[in-house]
Amino acid sequence: MAKKTGLSEKRAKLLVCIIRKGEEIALTQACNECCVSLHFSGIGYGTAQSNYLSYLGLDEIEKRIVFSLIPNYCETRVLRAINRRLRLYLPGNGIAFTVPLSGISSIISNAILTTPLRDDSNDTQKNTPEKERNAMHELIVAVVNQNFTEKVLDCSRAAGATGATVFHTHSVNNKQAEQLIGTSFQQETDTIAVITTHEYKAGIMEAIREAAGLKTEGGAVIFSLPVDSLIGIGRFEDIED
């Protein structure tokens, strides 16, 4: 039976950080000083309208994306440490957010959850139920034919998105699903990730569907994920003392 930590059970969570090149070591060190954590890093590309470039720090196109598995009871501690170490409270330095997991290997989970509990009496989110504090942010993901990437970005901006991160991806071995869906996916695709507030989510997803949906040449596969906590890019509330 899972052990309880007051308001919720002990479990692993996914931390996603989009930061400047060369800062992944500082990021992972900040995490490791707070808890046992597991990290994977890759390259993405930031994009925004010219009037947002300076504000969002996207004048530097190439971005480092780091996926980390952390204990849920260390979430605020980790975000606070990252905020200080990488100064994400300054525009352009990056963004970090957490996403709930529906499953994980027990071996990995057991290792991560060896981080001891401690009394973080200064944690501002400690006594706030997750459903109460996590409802305002959403991560929209669209996998689209590369020829339609700019079109998706344009319509997303028009619907309220202020920026996005783009990953180059490939459609791999999808014949069975393609037969059931009734469409073929282009081999070369881009995965576009947009962080937005809940109020803009439906409008952005609908705009992408109309511009490059599954039954168009854009062939976009679109889905969204709930975001728990978020720091960075100024407009969102940062976790600080």
Side-chain angles (χ1 to χ4, degrees):
M1 182 176 292
K3 296 180 181 179
K4 300 291 181 178
T5 63
L7 292 173
S8 61
E9 66 179 24
K10 292 174 64 175
R11 53 190 171 83
K13 293 190 76 170
L14 176 64
L15 170 69
V16 182
C17 300
I18 302 173
I19 55 177
R20 292 183 175 185
K21 291 184 297 182
E23 294 197 329
E24 59 266 33
I25 298 301
L27 168 69
T28 54
Q29 286 177 342
C31 292
N32 292 341
E33 289 168 6
C34 297
C35 61
V36 177
S37 49
L38 185 64
H39 315 279
F40 300 93
S41 179
I43 296 174
Y45 298 86
T47 178
Q49 287 177 293
S50 58
N51 56 318
Y52 286 114
L53 288 177
S54 177
Y55 181 65
L56 296 178
L58 298 179
D59 51 312
E60 178 188 8
I61 296 176
E62 187 174 305
K63 294 290 181 180
R64 182 64 59 175
I65 296 90
V66 182
F67 297 96
S68 303
L69 294 170
I70 64 172
N72 65 326
Y73 50 89
C74 296
E75 179 179 350
T76 301
R77 190 189 318 168
V78 168
L79 289 173
R80 182 178 292 142
I82 293 171
N83 210 20
R84 290 175 179 148
R85 187 73 60 87
L86 274 65
R87 300 191 297 173
L88 298 190
Y89 49 83
L90 296 178
N93 282 2
I95 184 173
F97 58 92
T98 56
V99 178
L101 299 175
S102 60
I104 187 173
S105 161
S106 60
I107 296 174
I108 295 175
S109 179
N110 290 339
I112 291 170
L113 299 180
T114 58
T115 303
L117 288 165
R118 75 182 191 193
D119 181 17
D120 288 330
S121 56
N122 291 326
D123 279 1
T124 58
Q125 298 185 2
K126 181 180 178 184
N127 296 315
T128 306
E130 285 189 354
K131 287 184 178 179
E132 231 179 74
R133 64 178 169 84
N134 299 335
M136 69 176 295
H137 305 121
E138 297 277 349
L139 171 64
I140 298 172
V141 178
V143 185
V144 64
N145 178 342
Q146 283 187 345
N147 294 329
F148 283 75
T149 300
E150 289 300 324
K151 190 171 184 178
V152 169
L153 293 173
D154 289 342
C155 72
S156 298
R157 292 165 186 150
T162 55
T165 300
V166 180
F167 309 81
H168 294 319
T169 48
H170 303 274
S171 175
V172 180
N173 198 19
N174 289 320
K175 288 184 178 179
Q176 186 176 20
E178 288 175 345
Q179 289 176 352
L180 295 171
I181 295 170
T183 189
S184 296
F185 298 106
Q186 294 292 324
Q187 186 174 1
E188 297 298 321
T189 59
D190 279 336
T191 296
I192 302 166
V194 177
I195 286 284
T196 187
T197 52
H198 181 72
E199 62 182 307
Y200 289 107
K201 182 192 78 169
I204 293 172
M205 294 182 74
E206 179 61 20
I208 295 173
R209 187 194 66 79
E210 290 184 357
L214 193 61
K215 297 299 183 178
T216 73
E217 292 184 8
V221 176
I222 312 161
F223 56 92
S224 65
L225 299 169
V227 170
D228 282 355
S229 298
L230 186 148
I231 56 173
I233 64 173
R235 61 172 290 191
F236 298 104
E237 181 181 359
D238 292 336
I239 297 177
E240 267 302 323
D241 290 339

